Amino acid sequence: MQTLCTLVKYAGPVNANKDEIVHVGQELGVPKEDTLELLNEWEEVDTVKFTTEEDKKRFIQSCFPFMTKDYHPDQSERKLYNHVVSNLGLKTSSIN
């Protein structure tokens, strides 16, 4: 749940990315209902604190492992990925 809270923190406007966040939550094993509840109830203390760029990269990989497989993400999934990467201060990689 801490990973998902961190994703929500860096995902930007929740309502604009709700479906994509739910998808990532499901990939992380969090039921849709729990993710929807979390969208409005997370707190800063529930998030992961990053100390290195490598920590940030591991976080991205844990949230978006499906982006590096033979998967063709929707434009909205790619947009969420790019938004989170940017908000973390990382450069977007050439995925797909």
Side-chain angles (χ1 to χ4, degrees):
M1 290 300 266
Q2 193 177 26
T3 298
L4 193 54
C5 288
T6 305
L7 175 67
V8 172
K9 175 181 177 177
Y10 290 103
V14 171
N15 289 334
N17 299 308
K18 187 184 304 184
D19 291 340
E20 293 75 23
I21 293 169
V22 167
H23 178 248
V24 172
Q26 289 174 322
E27 291 287 325
L28 293 171
V30 179
K32 179 179 180 177
E33 297 77 26
D34 292 349
T35 300
L36 291 172
E37 185 176 320
L38 177 133
L39 291 176
N40 298 313
E41 296 182 9
W42 72 276
E43 296 181 19
E44 189 70 31
V45 296
D46 298 329
T47 62
V48 175
K49 306 294 183 247
F50 301 112
T51 56
T52 67
E53 187 169 313
E54 199 57 40
D55 289 344
K56 293 175 183 180
K57 289 178 181 178
R58 278 193 294 273
F59 168 75
I60 291 295
Q61 182 59 36
S62 70
C63 288
F64 300 98
F66 55 90
M67 295 288 279
T68 58
K69 297 178 184 171
D70 290 333
Y71 177 76
H72 302 287
D74 297 0
Q75 183 177 9
S76 59
E77 290 173 326
R78 184 177 302 278
K79 182 179 173 185
L80 175 63
Y81 170 84
N82 289 333
H83 192 76
V84 172
V85 168
S86 175
N87 280 345
L88 286 169
L90 299 172
K91 294 180 181 176
T92 55
S93 59
S94 57
I95 291 181
N96 288 347

